[in-house]
């Protein structure tokens, strides 16, 4: 389900919102009630996380490309006086390398979660025929 994005939200704000929603989803149960009540919910949760992580490499690649273009245009400068921009260039390069590795790791995570989703799919097949499964505590 794709929702329209309010035009006043930055990419950083959207990423922070996603992180907060994940924190809320994974936080400890309140009032003794478990977060997941059905095996179907577990399967759906893993599927949603597979979708989320599959989108991470693209966003990380965008950030990496942005840093590259900003550096190429000379808009990344060092705060240190007299270093000729060397420190800023090294920082941008190091950040791009880490973003590349994060993108590769996210792609592997997405593949693993997609496999887990396929494995869990049969657990949700009979949800409509009965009540909730025994809650995980």
């Amino acid at each position: 389900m794709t929702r329209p994005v309010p035009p006043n939200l930055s990419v950083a704000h959207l990423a922070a919102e996603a992180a907060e929603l994940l924190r809320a989803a994974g936080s400890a149960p309140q009032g003794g009630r478990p977060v997941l009540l059905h095996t179907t919910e577990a399967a759906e949760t893993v599927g949603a996380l597979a979708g989320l992580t599959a989108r991470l490499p693209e966003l990380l690649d965008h950030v990496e490309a942005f840093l590259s273009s900003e550096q190429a245009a000379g808009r990344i400068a060092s705060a240190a006086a007299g270093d000729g921009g060397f420190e800023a260039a090294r920082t941008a390069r190091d950040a791009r390398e880490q973003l590349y590795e994060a993108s590769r790791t996210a792609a592997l995570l997405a593949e693993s979660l997609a496999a887990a989703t396929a494995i869990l799919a049969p657990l949700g097949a009979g949800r409509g025929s009965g009540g909730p499964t025994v809650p995980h505590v």
Side-chain angles (χ1 to χ4, degrees):
M1 155 172 64
T2 303
R3 293 184 181 149
V5 176
N8 59 336
L9 294 181
S10 69
V11 173
H13 184 84
L14 290 169
E17 287 293 314
E20 179 57 24
L21 289 170
L22 284 174
R23 185 209 57 78
S27 64
Q30 295 181 359
R33 182 173 178 255
V35 175
L36 298 170
L37 295 176
H38 308 331
T39 54
T40 301
E41 288 179 289
E44 290 171 353
T45 299
V46 173
L49 290 172
L52 181 140
T53 56
R55 290 171 179 90
L56 280 175
E58 182 179 4
L59 180 55
L60 294 169
D61 291 346
H62 285 308
V63 174
E64 183 183 353
F66 171 77
L67 290 174
S68 292
S69 67
E70 289 296 293
Q71 186 174 7
R75 290 188 287 262
I76 293 180
S78 177
D83 76 351
F86 175 75
E87 196 62 36
R90 186 172 64 193
T91 298
R93 182 201 67 222
D94 291 350
R96 287 193 317 269
E97 287 175 5
Q98 292 302 309
L99 289 168
Y100 173 77
E101 289 301 320
S103 180
R104 286 183 45 198
T105 302
L108 291 172
L109 178 60
E111 288 175 20
S112 294
L113 287 168
T117 300
I119 292 166
L120 289 170
L123 294 180
R127 180 177 179 185
S129 62
T133 59
V134 177
H136 175 71
V137 284

